[in-house]
């Protein structure tokens, strides 16, 4: 082995030293030769591993930094999705004529709308469709993404999702009529829904087990950061500039993500063993032994092909049916709690509360609370049980909405002096508690209550159902406010949170610290009894 490596070394270094330098550097050459021999004996495998793979990000030998950076890059898609959600709050007030979407006539929004010279002037119904069509497009984008990524690869699928987003922002910025807005929002929604299904599997494939819980939460953090970004650019009071700035996010995402390798699991499923090994080495660094992980990947691929199930087969067993009921129930109460109407129409809601502060500034404070709570939710999920956190989250959301409603009715009946901090505090508390519990836990439970071979099918169904509910509640919000007023609409959302609390108490199992087998047995109604140990005493009888 040493002779082979020395021959390689001398083959590369063909330049010979000058004769007058031989004697001067003899001692140094002897010392270098001994060091090279030591490196060959101890570091030969590391040298060969460096040759096989792409250079790691910043020469990260442990792979941890590489995984964090790669997860941050792929979750720029979630950041772009958050900006799409916040666009409605920032841009719709600029596209309205003096009559707002809701039944009351807020003076602040009228002033903002009159200060701009937009080519479009939307009616109430048109503004409602413009906001909600994003969610309808997300339904159409979420369901087929899993199948598409299996055939074309996870990286290619996620990479080319940037193109519909850029097209949608250009259409929204330059459309001469409302139909261009409709198409632009729908096309953007296709990417938003596809990101919600395509990003988590890619992160799961590249992350080490001890880092997966932290890296999986990057999606929710980046989504919240995108919402905050959308609120911040809303201070420009120009729909064209808001759209163009939001369009820079998918462009940056495409440029950064193109340099990352394909998912090792997908490459292994396609029989590309060497490429899968090189990709996994990229994410693990040169200091980690990946042989055991490669073997595990092979075994997972074999099991996946044997146990691969269709959408219909999810309904074939009692445990998966109950798991679907739990997932769908959590998605229903998550969306019907009113989180998307609050995020989509933040400026309108604050204006109807007669918030004296600048409306874009109030929305920015709301977005900052959303981001900070999402960031700290990882620590809460590590320490607090899922059921407890869900019940605390639903109950606090109901209290926050209830306090908002009481303030709204007091303000309307007694001509209470306009203020800022009470509605801003209650709505910020609402989104903060949502981000800490009700927001991430239903997605987290999808990986905990389903078998691994059924997780991605179930995720696609749950994601499509999630965005369908988001579309329905966002479209319904306008009609609720017109028919019964903002106060009673918020009472409705508070009552949904209370029903969600009851649902969690009676139907949602605890998954923290429990194995999949235990959870599945609970769904099947199997309660393992504690094993009893029978002690048999043997007496020795001495012969007399």
């Amino acid at each position: 082995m040493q002779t082979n490596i020395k021959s390689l070394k001398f083959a590369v270094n063909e330049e010979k030293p000058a004769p007058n330098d031989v004697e001067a550097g003899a001692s140094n050459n002897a010392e270098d030769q001994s060091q090279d021999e030591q490196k060959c004996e101890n570091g030969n495998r590391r040298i060969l591993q460096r040759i096989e793979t792409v250079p790691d990000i910043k020469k990260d030998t442990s792979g941890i930094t590489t995984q964090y950076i790669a997860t941050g890059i792929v979750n720029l898609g979630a950041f772009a999705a958050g900006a799409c959600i916040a666009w409605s709050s920032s841009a719709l007030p600029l596209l309205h004529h003096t009559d707002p979407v809701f039944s009351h006539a807020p003076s602040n929004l009228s002033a903002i709308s009159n200060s701009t010279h937009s080519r479009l002037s939307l009616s109430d119904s048109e503004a409602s469709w413009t906001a909600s069509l994003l969610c309808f497009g997300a339904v159409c984008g979420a369901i087929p993404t899993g199948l598409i990524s299996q055939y074309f690869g996870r990286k290619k699928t996620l990479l080319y999702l940037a193109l519909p987003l850029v097209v949608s922002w250009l259409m929204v910025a330059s459309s001469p009529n409302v139909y261009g807005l409709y198409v632009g929002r729908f096309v953007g929604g296709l990417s938003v829904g596809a990101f919600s299904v395509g990003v988590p599997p890619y992160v799961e494939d590249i992350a080490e087990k001890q880092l997966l819980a932290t890296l999986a939460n990057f999606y929710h953090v980046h989504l919240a950061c995108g919402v905050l970004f959308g609120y911040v650019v809303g201070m420009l009071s120009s729909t064209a500039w808001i759209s163009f700035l939001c369009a820079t996010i998918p462009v940056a995402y495409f440029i950064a993500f193109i340099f990352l390798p394909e998912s090792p699991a997908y490459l292994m499923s396609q029989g590309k063993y060497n490429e899968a090994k090189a990709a996994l080495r990229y994410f693990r660094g040169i200091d980690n032994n990946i042989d055991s992980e490669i073997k595990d990947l092979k075994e997972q691929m074999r099991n996946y092909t044997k146990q691969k199930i269709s959408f219909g087969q999810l309904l074939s067993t009692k445990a998966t049916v109950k798991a679907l009921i739990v997932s769908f129930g959590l998605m229903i109460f998550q969306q019907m709690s009113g989180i998307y109407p609050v995020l989509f129409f933040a400026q309108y809601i604050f204006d109807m509360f007669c918030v004296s502060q600048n409306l874009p500034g109030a929305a920015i404070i709301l977005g900052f609370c959303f981001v900070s709570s999402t960031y700290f939710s990882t620590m809460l999920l590590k320490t607090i049980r899922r059921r407890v956190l869900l019940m605390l989250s639903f109950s606090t959301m109901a209290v926050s909405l209830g306090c908002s409603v009481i303030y709204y009715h007091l303000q309307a009946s007694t001509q209470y002096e306009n203020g800022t901090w009470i509605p801003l505090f209650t709505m910020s508390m609402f989104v903060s508690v949502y981000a800490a519990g009700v927001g991430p836990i239903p997605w987290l439970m999808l990986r905990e209550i389903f078998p691994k071979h059924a997780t991605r099918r179930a995720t696609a169904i749950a994601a499509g159902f999630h965005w369908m509910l988001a579309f329905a509640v966002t479209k319904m919000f306008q009609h609720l406010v017109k028919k019964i007023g903002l106060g009673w609409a918020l009472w409705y959302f508070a009552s949904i949170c209370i029903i969600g609390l009851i649902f969690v108490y009676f139907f949602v199992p605890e998954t923290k610290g429990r194995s999949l087998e235990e959870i599945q047995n609970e769904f099947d109604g199997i309660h393992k009894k504690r094993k009893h140990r029978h002690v048999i005493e043997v007496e020795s009888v001495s012969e007399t």
Side-chain angles (χ1 to χ4, degrees):
M1 178 64 69
Q2 294 180 2
T3 57
N4 292 335
I5 293 178
K6 287 179 181 179
S7 63
L8 285 174
K9 179 183 174 183
F10 290 130
V12 173
N13 300 324
E14 292 178 356
E15 184 178 354
K16 296 182 180 180
N20 56 354
D21 293 332
V22 173
E23 295 179 359
S27 59
N28 293 333
N29 289 335
E31 183 179 357
D32 293 339
Q33 184 176 359
S34 62
Q35 290 178 357
D36 289 335
E37 290 175 357
Q38 185 177 0
K39 288 181 181 179
C40 292
E41 293 175 357
N42 299 331
N44 180 34
R45 184 179 182 181
R46 182 175 299 179
I47 293 172
L48 294 179
Q49 288 171 348
R50 275 192 178 276
I51 293 173
E52 289 177 359
T53 185
V54 187
D56 295 298
I57 296 176
K58 296 182 180 179
K59 297 182 180 180
D60 179 30
T61 58
S62 66
I64 295 177
T65 304
T66 304
Q67 293 173 57
Y68 271 89
I69 294 177
T71 304
I73 289 173
V74 70
N75 277 289
L76 284 176
F79 191 99
C84 292
I85 292 171
W87 180 89
S88 298
S89 175
S90 301
L92 285 184
L94 308 175
L95 297 172
H96 273 117
H97 38 75
T98 54
D99 294 331
V101 166
F102 305 112
S103 57
H104 301 280
S107 58
N108 290 345
L109 287 181
S110 299
I112 293 173
S113 181
N114 292 335
S115 67
T116 59
H117 303 279
S118 176
R119 291 174 294 175
L120 292 178
S121 182
L122 304 183
S123 65
D124 295 353
S125 178
E126 290 171 344
S128 177
W129 278 109
T130 301
S132 58
L133 275 174
L134 178 80
C135 299
F136 186 71
V139 176
C140 301
I143 295 176
T145 299
L147 294 175
I148 294 173
S149 63
Q150 288 181 4
Y151 290 102
F152 295 99
R154 306 212 211 293
K155 179 186 175 181
K156 288 182 180 179
T157 303
L158 290 172
L159 184 65
Y160 292 124
L161 288 177
L163 302 181
L165 270 181
V166 174
V167 171
S168 70
W169 284 123
L170 293 178
M171 294 184 68
V172 168
S174 60
S175 175
N177 53 52
V178 69
Y179 300 106
L181 283 180
Y182 290 167
V183 176
R185 293 288 285 173
F186 177 82
V187 171
L190 293 174
S191 294
V192 170
F195 279 130
S196 66
V197 176
V199 170
Y202 184 87
V203 174
E204 186 177 352
D205 289 343
I206 68 174
E208 297 181 65
K209 291 182 180 180
Q210 64 271 19
L211 299 177
L212 180 58
T214 301
L215 297 181
N217 199 45
F218 272 41
Y219 179 86
H220 304 285
V221 174
H222 280 67
L223 181 72
C225 290
V227 172
L228 177 59
F229 176 83
Y231 291 157
V232 171
V233 298
M235 299 189 72
L236 296 174
S237 297
S238 171
T239 55
W241 276 109
I242 293 173
S243 301
F244 282 130
L245 288 176
C246 290
T248 61
I249 304 171
V251 173
Y253 162 79
F254 184 89
I255 295 173
F257 190 43
I258 200 171
F259 295 103
L260 293 181
E262 178 59 90
S263 158
Y266 172 77
L267 293 172
M268 187 68 70
S269 67
Q270 300 299 309
K272 299 178 180 179
Y273 174 79
N274 292 331
E275 294 182 25
K277 188 175 181 181
L280 188 62
R281 172 62 61 194
Y282 179 86
F283 293 113
R284 295 296 179 266
I286 62 175
D287 284 347
N288 293 327
N289 185 5
I290 64 171
D291 293 338
S292 60
E293 197 166 354
I294 287 291
K295 292 180 181 178
D296 292 340
L297 271 179
K298 288 182 178 179
E299 187 65 27
Q300 289 176 13
M301 292 303 105
R302 293 195 203 97
N303 294 335
Y304 180 77
T305 53
K306 292 178 182 178
Q307 301 175 352
K308 186 178 179 180
I309 63 174
S310 62
F311 289 110
Q313 289 174 329
L314 284 174
L315 305 176
S316 60
T317 62
K318 182 179 179 181
T320 54
V321 169
K322 287 189 175 182
L324 281 174
I325 293 173
V326 170
S327 300
F328 281 17
L330 289 177
M331 291 297 178
I332 289 172
F333 295 111
Q334 180 198 66
Q335 290 306 306
M336 300 304 288
S337 65
I339 183 61
Y340 275 161
V342 171
L343 296 178
F344 272 78
F345 302 111
Q347 290 193 36
Y348 278 122
I349 293 174
F350 284 133
D351 193 72
M352 295 184 73
F353 275 111
C354 298
V355 172
S356 58
Q357 184 179 349
N358 182 24
L359 295 180
I364 290 173
I365 295 175
L366 182 77
F368 178 78
C369 294
F370 190 39
V371 171
S372 57
S373 298
T374 307
Y375 177 77
F376 289 110
S377 65
T378 304
M379 292 182 288
L380 294 176
L381 292 171
K382 289 180 179 179
T383 56
I384 303 178
R385 291 183 297 172
R386 310 280 189 259
R387 275 168 46 87
V388 174
L389 191 54
L390 277 172
M391 289 189 288
L392 286 174
S393 184
F394 272 124
S395 58
T396 310
M397 287 166 64
V399 171
S400 301
L401 291 173
C403 292
S404 300
V405 173
I406 293 172
Y407 174 83
Y408 180 80
H409 287 303
L410 287 176
Q411 186 184 38
S413 61
T414 63
Q415 300 298 322
Y416 186 75
E417 184 180 358
N418 294 343
T420 296
W421 72 269
I422 295 179
L424 183 57
F425 175 78
T426 54
M427 299 311 296
S428 298
M429 178 64 69
F430 172 76
V431 299
S432 298
V433 177
Y434 168 88
V438 175
I441 289 180
W443 298 102
L444 177 62
M445 278 193 168
L446 287 172
R447 298 198 306 267
E448 297 176 339
I449 63 178
F450 286 98
K452 193 162 186 178
H453 62 275
T455 300
R456 291 181 180 174
R457 298 285 187 187
T459 301
I461 297 176
F465 188 64
H466 163 93
W467 288 112
M468 180 61 74
L469 290 170
F471 167 73
V473 73
T474 305
K475 189 73 179 71
M476 179 186 66
F477 185 59
Q478 174 200 6
H479 300 289
L480 274 178
V481 173
K482 278 191 171 183
K483 295 292 183 182
I484 62 179
L486 178 64
W488 288 108
L490 294 181
W491 269 128
Y492 168 77
F493 292 139
S495 64
I496 293 294
C497 293
I498 295 173
I499 300 174
L501 172 65
I502 298 172
F503 175 80
V504 173
Y505 182 79
F506 285 102
F507 297 103
V508 178
E510 180 57 56
T511 59
K512 181 177 174 58
R514 301 181 65 190
S515 64
L516 177 63
E517 183 182 1
E518 293 174 342
I519 298 170
Q520 294 279 301
N521 287 337
E522 183 174 346
F523 283 142
D524 285 328
I526 301 174
H527 300 283
K528 289 187 176 181
K529 297 181 180 180
R530 184 179 298 176
K531 294 182 180 180
H532 298 282
R533 185 176 62 183
H534 300 281
V535 180
I536 301 176
E537 295 183 358
V538 180
E539 295 182 357
S540 59
V541 180
S542 59
E543 295 180 358
T544 57

